[in-house]
Amino acid sequence: KAGVTQTPRYLIKTRGQQVTLSCSPISGHRSVSWYQQTPGQGLQFLFEYFSETQRNKGNFPGRFSGRQFSNSRSEMNVSTLELGDSALYLCASRPSPEGSQPQHFGDGTRLSIL
Amino acid sequence: SQQGEEDPQALSIQEGENATMNCSYKTSINNLQWYRQNSGRGLVHLILIRSNEREKHSGRLRVTLDTSKKSSSLLITASRAADTASYFCATDDSARAAGNKLTFGGGTRVLVKP
């Protein structure tokens, strides 16, 4: 089974631009979550999607948004990029939100803001 | 914000030695999970321990959970150079029993010297 696939792997943008990151979950997994990892703040939860609906949202400004498609693939968008948005963005999937199940992570998209 | 703290922040050992790292958290949990991250890569799930479990083993890994002290430990026995990585604990908050949000600790960087 293919793992979680995130594209692109690396991205360089400038302040004020916007960016869209993509995540394809493991086949059969319908729950997708996004995390931001930075040296200063560590790993922080962004949001979670299931059945095309956002179920949980972390403490991030409205510039961060996401969506999930009917095939469970997910995208996240960051508008009006700031220097502090430079981070590794990780996507994780699991079969469903219920129960005690581990998350399966992709290798992330490393976003650098100049 | 991060749920808890990991101790130590960094650990350097010789191949063959055991590595122990600890994690403390603040709220009630459904389960606690340990993940490994190699440099520049995504997180790999190692082990999940439910709140009603006290100890769990998987290969060379042993995890303990003390809910009265809100703490967990991860022991890696007979370490290998390939165990060099950062290790994170993550809690699944029981306040959102059907949720899919993990709250991560700051991680322990482990260096295993050949």
Side-chain angles (χ1 to χ4, degrees):
Chain A
K1 231 182 204 181
V4 176
T5 304
Q6 292 187 246
T7 57
R9 285 279 282 131
Y10 302 93
L11 204 48
I12 300 174
K13 292 286 187 179
T14 57
R15 280 183 299 174
Q17 288 186 310
Q18 74 166 15
V19 68
T20 299
L21 312 181
S22 180
C23 172
S24 293
I26 290 172
S27 178
H29 286 194
R30 296 167 61 203
S31 173
V32 174
S33 297
W34 290 88
Y35 293 82
Q36 181 197 63
Q37 185 177 26
T38 61
Q41 299 298 316
L43 280 152
Q44 296 188 89
F45 171 78
L46 279 158
F47 22 66
E48 172 215 343
Y49 288 90
F50 176 70
S51 292
E52 302 176 65
T53 301
Q54 186 180 89
R55 287 169 49 91
N56 290 321
K57 189 177 193 303
N59 188 25
F60 279 83
R63 300 185 298 106
F64 290 80
S65 63
R67 59 178 176 168
Q68 186 181 35
F69 302 95
S70 58
N71 61 358
S72 296
R73 192 176 69 85
S74 177
E75 289 180 347
M76 67 163 282
N77 183 278
V78 188
S79 62
T80 320
L81 286 165
E82 300 176 359
L83 292 177
D85 298 333
S86 293
L88 180 66
Y89 290 88
L90 293 163
C91 170
S93 75
R94 63 183 201 168
S96 73
E98 279 75 34
S100 292
Q101 304 171 45
Q103 302 243 25
H104 300 265
F105 283 81
D107 279 339
T109 293
R110 183 162 296 282
L111 175 63
S112 298
I113 311 301
L114 303 180
Chain B
S1 62
Q2 294 179 15
Q3 161 78 291
E5 299 174 359
E6 291 185 56
D7 168 49
Q9 290 188 334
L11 185 58
S12 180
I13 55 174
Q14 293 293 138
E15 216 168 18
E17 293 181 340
N18 295 342
T20 300
M21 58 210 86
N22 304 294
C23 166
S24 62
Y25 57 92
K26 298 172 184 172
T27 65
S28 297
I29 60 171
N30 274 330
N31 63 70
L32 185 144
Q33 303 175 34
W34 285 90
Y35 288 83
R36 184 187 75 227
Q37 184 179 37
N38 291 91
S39 181
R41 303 296 298 274
L43 280 75
V44 174
H45 178 260
L46 295 175
I47 200 162
L48 181 153
I49 185 166
R50 292 177 172 79
S51 59
N52 61 353
E53 297 176 311
R54 292 297 166 256
E55 188 171 312
K56 207 160 183 182
H57 297 256
S58 176
R60 294 183 295 111
L61 306 179
R62 173 179 168 254
V63 167
T64 63
L65 178 64
D66 187 335
T67 53
S68 67
K69 295 181 179 178
K70 291 187 168 58
S71 68
S72 174
S73 68
L74 170 66
L75 167 67
I76 305 173
T77 60
S79 62
R80 305 166 182 168
D83 294 329
T84 294
S86 291
Y87 291 81
F88 295 90
C89 68
T91 53
D92 187 343
D93 186 349
S94 63
R96 294 174 177 270
N100 196 18
K101 171 187 173 182
L102 291 179
T103 306
F104 284 86
T108 294
R109 294 188 312 277
V110 175
L111 171 64
V112 181
K113 294 180 281 188

